[in-house]
Amino acid sequence: MKSCPRCGYANISNTLFCDACGTPLRDDIVVEPTRLYEEAVNGGGVDDFHRRAPPSERTTLVTGQWALIILPQRHMVRLPEIPSIVLGRGHHHKDPFIDLEPYGAHVAGVSRRHARLTRKGMGVYIEDLASTNGTYVNRVRIPAHTPTPVQPGDVIKLGRLKILIQSE
Amino acid sequence: MAAATFREDFYNQLGISPRADETLIRRQYRRLARLLHPDTGTQPDSAGFLSIQEAYDILSDPIKRREYDHWLREKNLFPPFHADILHGPHVLRATHSPQRLYMLLDLRASKEAANRPPIINLVLVIDQSSSMRGERLFQVRQAARMVAERLGADDYLSIVAFNDWADVVLPAQHRPSPTTLMEALNKLQATGGTEIARGLEAGFAEAQKFHTPGSVTQIILLTDGNTYGDEDRCIALAHRAAMQNMSMTLLGIGTEWNDHLLDKMADISGGQSYFLREPRDILRVFEEQLKNLRTTIASHMTLSITTPDESELMNVYEVSPGLKRLAPQDDGTYVLGALYNKPPRKVLIDLKITLTGDQRLFIPCTLDIEARLIGQTRPLPLRLATPLNIEAISESKLDYPEEIIEAARRAIVARLQEQAWEAVSKGDVQQAEANLALLVDRFLELGERDLAQLAEKELSRLRATGELSPEGTLELKYGTRMLALPAPPEHQSSEGA
């Protein structure tokens, strides 16, 4: 038996993806949203697939598509292509909002309005909105109300909730 | 000199294909030896043990293996296609609680076998109801001209037009002259309704005229409308086509056609159904069909899966060339359809295994494949049964081949979207919303941004209006079918470490 970290469904052991929601159930299954897209662009087949370069050596395709990978379940949330969005908990917000409640945000000490992600040009900035438990970029706490640039591969932490930044 | 000791079935003896690498040959030999060894085996069989020994002596030695392959080629004994199985995980755990096993069946044309292109016997069954007027019929004429130009001198073509009745505008014949074809195509007149069974019956009659074991016969149906009251006749025709070794390709254009009926006919006959959004897509699909027909190795393949008491068959999915869950036919077999030169046909078999004894080896299931090869009157049977080792190993230490992970990743997408449509048809909006939301994430994980956006759009529509758009539904459904495993590697990779 293997409970899905996302939806709690009791899967048979040895299962790779949750039968109820499709969430990868093994830590070694990588969620790489851009992988097939890159292959299509580079014309590679499965051979390249097996010899895939680590992220640092890969040519970056700048298409402006960013995603948050919420650890440890590696659940992916795509950032909509809008100038700014707030991360936090709950539904009733006026501005664009990503609700982290389904990923255990409350237990992890995420504030209702915790941080804001802003796009400027090709880059993305994170700003702590005076949250109770703070915002960290690669383990360094950032001051409140100060937009700090983030890059693909960075891990941000809202309270104790870790999120990996990815982009195409 | 060695030829005297060669037998044609060494690869089969070891349950591998000529694509297998040394690691796989060794692993497979060891598994079988543990099973069959006269003194220590779990199913002692001295004759069986001797024959795998013999096969292994030749195949494990690179030089002898090359000589053997050469001998097979000379004698024209190379099978026209290979069947390989990949397991994930590659061992079973010694436990009495249920565990999952994924098996990936890989069927592909062999490079070694002589490959004569088959004679194509193509029947176009074209809807000429009033809604086909204009661009749609114009594109049909263009596509038919392209087909006629590309057919070889030995191939056959026939065209049937239908609305409330059927009209054989081009009786089955060798490649028609441009004038003959033009006269036939001029007879297409957009009037009346859509009665698919009439068109198919006439098409079937044309198909039979030149249907031989050396030909590959396909009926391509193009429709843009719902048919009423003749669904059962359509299904019966699909069964007849399958029995006679013909396949049906079913093309729906626009959003007013019955996708369930066309899908079902495709599943029964081993063909494919497509959603054409634009009339200009007709030409592209016809071209693709023609290319496939030209490189057909087997016109029809079926798979039956026999499981011991310890195994329960959960699901079966096609993961290449398309992606869909396969439903068993009434006799329990799965229709796999045709095998072309490229790409391979891959099937993911999803098993739940509950071991009871304390055996060291276990055969999770037996696969029986029946392939109707071009030019052969009798189908070629092939049986695959691979024993797996049972080891005391923790779940986190299990090893899965990359391809199994990718296949399982896709299978769950096929399943989630199927559940979404089921929920919609039952009026369970909440379930449908939940499934669509999950699909958005899964599409993104696969790098399918367009499908993710489409699913997102349909999700907001569903939330706002409680309904999906017919076009969005079709696009999602048939778009998901395209999410097959990426192009195959040239060499067989062994099953993990």
Side-chain angles (χ1 to χ4, degrees), chain A residues 82-94:
Chain A
I82 51 175
S84 113
I85 194 158
V86 173
L87 308 179
R89 293 185 287 114
H91 300 288
H92 309 288
H93 296 274
K94 278 186 297 205

PDB file of all heavy atoms in Angstrom, chain A residues 82-94:
ATOM      1  N   ILE A  82       0.914  36.478 -16.592  1.00  0.00           N
ATOM      2  CA  ILE A  82       0.393  37.774 -16.167  1.00  0.00           C
ATOM      3  C   ILE A  82       1.478  38.461 -15.353  1.00  0.00           C
ATOM      4  O   ILE A  82       2.393  37.794 -14.864  1.00  0.00           O
ATOM      5  CB  ILE A  82      -0.906  37.627 -15.332  1.00  0.00           C
ATOM      6  CG1 ILE A  82      -0.693  36.609 -14.206  1.00  0.00           C
ATOM      7  CG2 ILE A  82      -2.064  37.209 -16.207  1.00  0.00           C
ATOM      8  CD1 ILE A  82      -1.863  36.500 -13.271  1.00  0.00           C
ATOM      9  N   PRO A  83       1.424  39.805 -15.218  1.00  0.00           N
ATOM     10  CA  PRO A  83       2.538  40.529 -14.601  1.00  0.00           C
ATOM     11  C   PRO A  83       2.807  40.119 -13.156  1.00  0.00           C
ATOM     12  O   PRO A  83       3.949  40.065 -12.729  1.00  0.00           O
ATOM     13  CB  PRO A  83       2.114  41.995 -14.660  1.00  0.00           C
ATOM     14  CG  PRO A  83       0.998  42.055 -15.634  1.00  0.00           C
ATOM     15  CD  PRO A  83       0.380  40.709 -15.702  1.00  0.00           C
ATOM     16  N   SER A  84       1.765  39.826 -12.367  1.00  0.00           N
ATOM     17  CA  SER A  84       2.053  39.524 -10.973  1.00  0.00           C
ATOM     18  C   SER A  84       1.003  38.601 -10.366  1.00  0.00           C
ATOM     19  O   SER A  84      -0.163  38.607 -10.787  1.00  0.00           O
ATOM     20  CB  SER A  84       2.185  40.830 -10.182  1.00  0.00           C
ATOM     21  OG  SER A  84       1.142  40.964  -9.269  1.00  0.00           O
ATOM     22  N   ILE A  85       1.433  37.785  -9.408  1.00  0.00           N
ATOM     23  CA  ILE A  85       0.515  36.836  -8.791  1.00  0.00           C
ATOM     24  C   ILE A  85       0.933  36.629  -7.335  1.00  0.00           C
ATOM     25  O   ILE A  85       2.118  36.677  -7.011  1.00  0.00           O
ATOM     26  CB  ILE A  85       0.490  35.507  -9.580  1.00  0.00           C
ATOM     27  CG1 ILE A  85      -0.695  34.661  -9.153  1.00  0.00           C
ATOM     28  CG2 ILE A  85       1.786  34.720  -9.419  1.00  0.00           C
ATOM     29  CD1 ILE A  85      -1.098  33.644 -10.194  1.00  0.00           C
ATOM     30  N   VAL A  86      -0.063  36.430  -6.475  1.00  0.00           N
ATOM     31  CA  VAL A  86       0.221  36.290  -5.046  1.00  0.00           C
ATOM     32  C   VAL A  86       0.142  34.808  -4.660  1.00  0.00           C
ATOM     33  O   VAL A  86      -0.716  34.079  -5.131  1.00  0.00           O
ATOM     34  CB  VAL A  86      -0.769  37.141  -4.220  1.00  0.00           C
ATOM     35  CG1 VAL A  86      -0.588  36.866  -2.725  1.00  0.00           C
ATOM     36  CG2 VAL A  86      -0.576  38.613  -4.505  1.00  0.00           C
ATOM     37  N   LEU A  87       1.089  34.364  -3.807  1.00  0.00           N
ATOM     38  CA  LEU A  87       1.073  32.997  -3.295  1.00  0.00           C
ATOM     39  C   LEU A  87       0.587  33.034  -1.849  1.00  0.00           C
ATOM     40  O   LEU A  87       0.999  33.902  -1.083  1.00  0.00           O
ATOM     41  CB  LEU A  87       2.481  32.390  -3.309  1.00  0.00           C
ATOM     42  CG  LEU A  87       3.257  32.445  -4.616  1.00  0.00           C
ATOM     43  CD1 LEU A  87       4.646  31.816  -4.424  1.00  0.00           C
ATOM     44  CD2 LEU A  87       2.499  31.706  -5.711  1.00  0.00           C
ATOM     45  N   GLY A  88      -0.274  32.110  -1.481  1.00  0.00           N
ATOM     46  CA  GLY A  88      -0.770  32.088  -0.110  1.00  0.00           C
ATOM     47  C   GLY A  88      -1.806  31.007   0.078  1.00  0.00           C
ATOM     48  O   GLY A  88      -1.744  29.967  -0.577  1.00  0.00           O
ATOM     49  N   ARG A  89      -2.746  31.261   0.977  1.00  0.00           N
ATOM     50  CA  ARG A  89      -3.772  30.266   1.251  1.00  0.00           C
ATOM     51  C   ARG A  89      -5.150  30.876   1.072  1.00  0.00           C
ATOM     52  O   ARG A  89      -5.329  32.062   1.328  1.00  0.00           O
ATOM     53  CB  ARG A  89      -3.674  29.771   2.702  1.00  0.00           C
ATOM     54  CG  ARG A  89      -2.431  28.986   3.039  1.00  0.00           C
ATOM     55  CD  ARG A  89      -2.538  28.456   4.458  1.00  0.00           C
ATOM     56  NE  ARG A  89      -2.380  29.491   5.473  1.00  0.00           N
ATOM     57  CZ  ARG A  89      -3.340  29.885   6.311  1.00  0.00           C
ATOM     58  NH1 ARG A  89      -4.538  29.341   6.233  1.00  0.00           N
ATOM     59  NH2 ARG A  89      -3.106  30.822   7.215  1.00  0.00           N
ATOM     60  N   GLY A  90      -6.129  30.071   0.709  1.00  0.00           N
ATOM     61  CA  GLY A  90      -7.529  30.511   0.678  1.00  0.00           C
ATOM     62  C   GLY A  90      -7.990  30.894  -0.718  1.00  0.00           C
ATOM     63  O   GLY A  90      -7.216  30.900  -1.671  1.00  0.00           O
ATOM     64  N   HIS A  91      -9.298  31.189  -0.835  1.00  0.00           N
ATOM     65  CA  HIS A  91      -9.908  31.412  -2.152  1.00  0.00           C
ATOM     66  C   HIS A  91     -10.216  32.876  -2.424  1.00  0.00           C
ATOM     67  O   HIS A  91     -10.185  33.321  -3.545  1.00  0.00           O
ATOM     68  CB  HIS A  91     -11.223  30.647  -2.259  1.00  0.00           C
ATOM     69  CG  HIS A  91     -11.063  29.183  -2.094  1.00  0.00           C
ATOM     70  ND1 HIS A  91     -10.477  28.407  -3.061  1.00  0.00           N
ATOM     71  CD2 HIS A  91     -11.389  28.357  -1.074  1.00  0.00           C
ATOM     72  CE1 HIS A  91     -10.459  27.156  -2.643  1.00  0.00           C
ATOM     73  NE2 HIS A  91     -10.998  27.095  -1.437  1.00  0.00           N
ATOM     74  N   HIS A  92     -10.592  33.611  -1.361  1.00  0.00           N
ATOM     75  CA  HIS A  92     -11.259  34.886  -1.613  1.00  0.00           C
ATOM     76  C   HIS A  92     -10.275  36.046  -1.703  1.00  0.00           C
ATOM     77  O   HIS A  92     -10.128  36.838  -0.793  1.00  0.00           O
ATOM     78  CB  HIS A  92     -12.310  35.134  -0.538  1.00  0.00           C
ATOM     79  CG  HIS A  92     -13.216  33.959  -0.387  1.00  0.00           C
ATOM     80  ND1 HIS A  92     -14.167  33.647  -1.342  1.00  0.00           N
ATOM     81  CD2 HIS A  92     -13.281  32.987   0.541  1.00  0.00           C
ATOM     82  CE1 HIS A  92     -14.787  32.543  -0.974  1.00  0.00           C
ATOM     83  NE2 HIS A  92     -14.270  32.115   0.164  1.00  0.00           N
ATOM     84  N   HIS A  93      -9.607  36.097  -2.821  1.00  0.00           N
ATOM     85  CA  HIS A  93      -8.663  37.194  -3.025  1.00  0.00           C
ATOM     86  C   HIS A  93      -9.050  37.932  -4.281  1.00  0.00           C
ATOM     87  O   HIS A  93      -9.541  37.341  -5.233  1.00  0.00           O
ATOM     88  CB  HIS A  93      -7.252  36.645  -3.148  1.00  0.00           C
ATOM     89  CG  HIS A  93      -6.769  35.964  -1.897  1.00  0.00           C
ATOM     90  ND1 HIS A  93      -6.186  36.632  -0.872  1.00  0.00           N
ATOM     91  CD2 HIS A  93      -6.842  34.670  -1.507  1.00  0.00           C
ATOM     92  CE1 HIS A  93      -5.892  35.781   0.099  1.00  0.00           C
ATOM     93  NE2 HIS A  93      -6.284  34.581  -0.266  1.00  0.00           N
ATOM     94  N   LYS A  94      -8.774  39.238  -4.275  1.00  0.00           N
ATOM     95  CA  LYS A  94      -9.156  40.049  -5.427  1.00  0.00           C
ATOM     96  C   LYS A  94      -8.160  39.865  -6.570  1.00  0.00           C
ATOM     97  O   LYS A  94      -8.524  39.679  -7.707  1.00  0.00           O
ATOM     98  CB  LYS A  94      -9.237  41.528  -5.030  1.00  0.00           C
ATOM     99  CG  LYS A  94     -10.568  41.899  -4.366  1.00  0.00           C
ATOM    100  CD  LYS A  94     -10.630  43.402  -4.148  1.00  0.00           C
ATOM    101  CE  LYS A  94      -9.558  43.790  -3.226  1.00  0.00           C
ATOM    102  NZ  LYS A  94      -9.465  44.863  -2.401  1.00  0.00           N
TER     103      LYS A  94
END
